[in-house]
């Protein structure tokens, strides 16, 4: 009985390790982000809002390699689930940024965007817009 549990644990660990390895390979295989709008769509693909019309605006900057500089700041969050869900919505955006960066910037985009402050407005996962810098 104890041997079966040990085998199951090792099998579970192996499955998790394979899944994490596949995720890392998928991130490496991403085509480079060549346009500013690709930043918004890349982050939107990772975000999991609770409702289709949830809205978040985040202020952040990137290095030329696509990593976030400093701590992103949520400047607006509105959940269609009500004010009680706003903080969870903001937390879900911060998790998406943490999990999906660095983004694979092309050398040209990285050189152009490095250090620039961007405001990105997300409406659900389907719409994301770069707002003029603050």
């Amino acid at each position: 009985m104890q041997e079966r549990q040990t085998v199951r644990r090792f099998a579970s660990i192996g499955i998790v390790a394979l899944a994490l390895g596949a995720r890392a390979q998928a991130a490496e295989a991403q085509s480079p982000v060549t346009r500013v709008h690709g930043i918004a769509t890349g982050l939107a693909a990772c975000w999991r809002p609770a409702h289709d019309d949830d809205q978040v605006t985040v202020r952040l900057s990137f290095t030329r390699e696509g990593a976030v500089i400093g701590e992103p700041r949520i400047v607006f969050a509105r959940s269609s689930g009500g004010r009680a869900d706003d903080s969870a919505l903001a937390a879900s955006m911060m998790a998406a940024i943490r999990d999906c960066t660095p983004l694979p910037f092309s050398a040209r985009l990285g050189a152009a965007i490095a250090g620039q402050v961007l405001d990105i407005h997300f409406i659900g996962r389907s719409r994301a817009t770069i707002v003029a810098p603050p």
Side-chain angles (χ1 to χ4, degrees):
M1 181 74 145
Q2 191 172 15
E3 286 180 25
R4 285 184 188 168
Q5 289 177 341
T6 302
V7 170
R8 285 184 187 151
R9 285 185 186 141
F10 280 122
S12 296
I13 291 169
I15 291 169
V16 170
L18 287 172
L20 291 175
R23 182 177 174 197
Q25 286 176 345
E28 290 175 8
Q30 285 179 339
S31 57
V33 177
T34 59
R35 297 178 181 246
V36 175
H37 184 70
I39 297 169
T41 55
L43 293 174
C46 292
W47 186 39
R48 304 287 182 255
H51 309 97
D52 288 338
D53 54 350
D54 286 346
Q55 297 183 44
V56 172
T57 302
V58 62
R59 181 171 292 158
L60 70 170
S61 298
F62 292 93
T63 66
R64 64 180 54 237
E65 292 81 25
V68 175
I69 297 173
E71 186 70 22
R73 191 172 111 193
I74 303 295
V75 295
F76 175 79
R78 180 172 296 150
S79 172
S80 61
R83 286 186 124 2
D85 291 344
D86 289 352
S87 62
L89 181 63
S92 72
M93 177 53 71
M94 295 299 279
I97 294 167
R98 181 185 61 248
D99 293 345
C100 292
T101 56
L103 292 170
F105 286 174
S106 67
R108 188 172 177 169
L109 178 64
I113 204 77
Q116 299 292 321
V117 177
L118 301 174
D119 281 358
I120 307 174
H121 184 72
F122 297 89
I123 302 174
R125 291 183 63 202
S126 60
R127 293 191 310 187
T129 306
I130 303 287
V131 182

